[in-house]
Amino acid sequence: MSQTTVDAIESRSREREREVTRSERGTCPECNGRIRPDDDRGERVCSDCGLVSGGDEIDYGPEWRSFDEDGNSRGRVGAPITQRRHDKGLSTTIGWEDRDAYGNELSARKRSKLNRLRTWNERFTSTNSQERNLKQALGELERMASALGLPEPCRETAAIIYRQAVDADLLLGRSIEAVATASLYAAARQHGTPRTFSTFESVSRVDEPPIKRAYRQLSSDLGLEMAPPDPDHYLRQFTSSLGVSEETERVARDVLAAAKEEQLHVGKNPAGVAAAAIYAAGRLTNEHVTQETIDDATGVSKFTIRNRYQELLDAYGIYEN
């Protein structure tokens, strides 16, 4: 290597060292402007010419994440705390897949050992009768909410209501399934996604009368604030279940608006008013929607529909004129 080449390399090396020195001192090597840190991108940028003098800066901020709504929890790992688990999601579980990390099947001896570990894990995570009660009830809540397609916030509220019922000793003389179903019904109403009692009965393990009794007690003793359900909430569900045309759905909304204008829905079952509005709209649009079909799809009695639809048609006629 010639002396000229060596001198050029040494000159470039000294220049880089001077640039680094100026950058560390907060001076731009190009325009002698002020270097400022950009914490969002992890870079050091000249405030005058925009030259990036350094990248991949170390983030000295907190490593923890906040999982709760108040921002007070500083957990480093794990899922957020939820009321839908009897232990609030703090414990771990042993999966039922009898395979190792590489996907290979386990031997009979290891499978037997895992089964024993799962048994002991179940015993340790539910050490008393109250935890076993919560475990069974919250499992029922998840099953029913999944069958009804209820959103997660509604499920969370249902779990909170059930826990409040347990703390208030409201389960005495009532089945776990009845109180769990009533809690889910109350949560669905609070979140504006109500379902009829017959719909909850179809996915519950108990009949409708115990659910109604449990709901009345929950509403009274826990002081649940329940706004009167709007028939519009049921209308969306019923038209989807019946598969009626868009025209019939539009007319049903107009019929329902006329009924609300005349205050015909006050003091009446909102589900029955919505079902009667659909039947009335079907008659106006000549769509074959029978009372029996609506009864089967919505759980609203055909006698209720028969007693409601004529007054809705009369109100719609006044409303249109």
Side-chain angles (χ1 to χ4, degrees):
M1 182 182 298
S2 65
Q3 184 64 34
T4 304
T5 305
V6 173
D7 293 341
I9 293 174
E10 291 178 353
S11 176
R12 286 196 296 270
S13 177
R14 288 192 296 270
E15 181 63 28
R16 281 196 297 269
E17 290 177 359
R18 285 194 294 270
E19 290 179 1
V20 171
T21 302
R22 286 197 295 268
S23 177
E24 290 176 349
R25 291 176 180 174
T27 305
C28 177
E30 293 291 335
C31 66
N32 292 326
R34 185 173 61 86
I35 296 293
R36 61 176 178 82
D38 188 346
D39 296 331
D40 293 336
R41 296 182 175 85
E43 299 172 345
R44 293 169 58 84
V45 184
C46 175
S47 58
D48 295 337
C49 67
L51 176 70
V52 179
S53 63
D56 299 329
E57 296 287 332
I58 298 175
D59 183 7
Y60 293 99
E63 63 171 324
W64 47 264
R65 296 172 59 194
S66 178
F67 290 106
D68 63 350
E69 295 180 356
D70 299 329
N72 297 323
S73 174
R74 297 185 176 184
R76 287 176 169 80
V77 295
I81 294 176
T82 175
Q83 299 289 338
R84 293 155 55 189
R85 297 283 300 275
H86 73 284
D87 54 5
K88 298 186 179 180
L90 296 176
S91 65
T92 58
T93 57
I94 301 175
W96 290 93
E97 186 72 21
D98 291 328
R99 295 178 181 273
D100 60 15
Y102 300 100
N104 300 321
E105 292 188 2
L106 300 177
S107 62
R109 182 178 179 181
K110 290 185 177 180
R111 287 199 300 271
S112 177
K113 183 178 180 180
L114 273 178
N115 287 333
R116 289 196 302 272
L117 290 174
R118 291 188 187 105
T119 301
W120 281 107
N121 184 65
E122 289 289 323
R123 293 174 181 174
F124 286 138
T125 55
S126 52
T127 55
N128 54 49
S129 60
Q130 184 174 357
E131 288 189 359
R132 289 191 292 271
N133 178 318
L134 282 174
K135 192 171 184 180
Q136 178 183 351
L138 297 179
E140 281 293 297
L141 281 176
E142 284 295 314
R143 182 188 63 80
M144 291 186 291
S146 178
L148 296 174
L150 295 174
E152 290 192 4
C154 179
R155 305 182 190 192
E156 195 80 14
T157 301
I160 293 174
I161 293 174
Y162 186 85
R163 287 177 181 272
Q164 292 175 347
V166 172
D167 294 337
D169 293 330
L170 299 182
L171 269 70
L172 297 177
R174 287 180 170 79
S175 66
I176 293 175
E177 290 80 3
V179 179
T181 309
S183 300
L184 192 59
Y185 174 82
R189 284 192 56 177
Q190 286 185 346
H191 283 267
T193 56
R195 304 287 193 276
T196 61
F197 277 111
S198 59
T199 302
F200 278 94
E201 181 188 17
S202 65
V203 298
S204 179
R205 302 184 192 277
V206 293
D207 296 329
E208 186 174 331
I211 300 173
K212 288 184 175 180
R213 288 194 295 268
Y215 169 71
R216 285 194 292 268
Q217 185 173 17
L218 289 179
S219 180
S220 174
D221 294 356
L222 298 182
L224 300 178
E225 296 182 1
M226 294 292 177
D230 195 324
D232 285 326
H233 295 154
Y234 292 98
L235 187 67
R236 292 194 295 267
Q237 305 169 30
F238 293 169
T239 54
S240 177
S241 300
L242 291 166
V244 298
S245 64
E246 293 183 2
E247 182 185 5
T248 300
E249 182 177 354
R250 178 184 58 78
V251 174
R253 292 186 185 281
D254 293 340
V255 170
L256 197 55
K260 293 168 72 174
E261 184 74 19
E262 296 295 325
Q263 298 293 312
L264 296 178
H265 67 297
V266 177
K268 296 183 176 64
N269 181 7
V273 175
I278 295 174
Y279 179 72
R283 291 175 63 92
L284 292 173
T285 59
N286 294 323
E287 183 168 354
H288 186 66
V289 184
T290 64
Q291 296 175 6
E292 289 79 9
T293 304
I294 298 176
D295 187 350
D296 295 338
T298 66
V300 177
S301 170
K302 58 185 178 181
F303 303 106
T304 301
I305 300 171
R306 188 178 306 145
N307 294 332
R308 294 278 181 271
Y309 87 92
Q310 188 58 54
E311 61 181 359
L312 296 185
L313 285 176
D314 295 339
Y316 179 70
I318 298 173
Y319 183 76
E320 286 294 296
N321 297 327

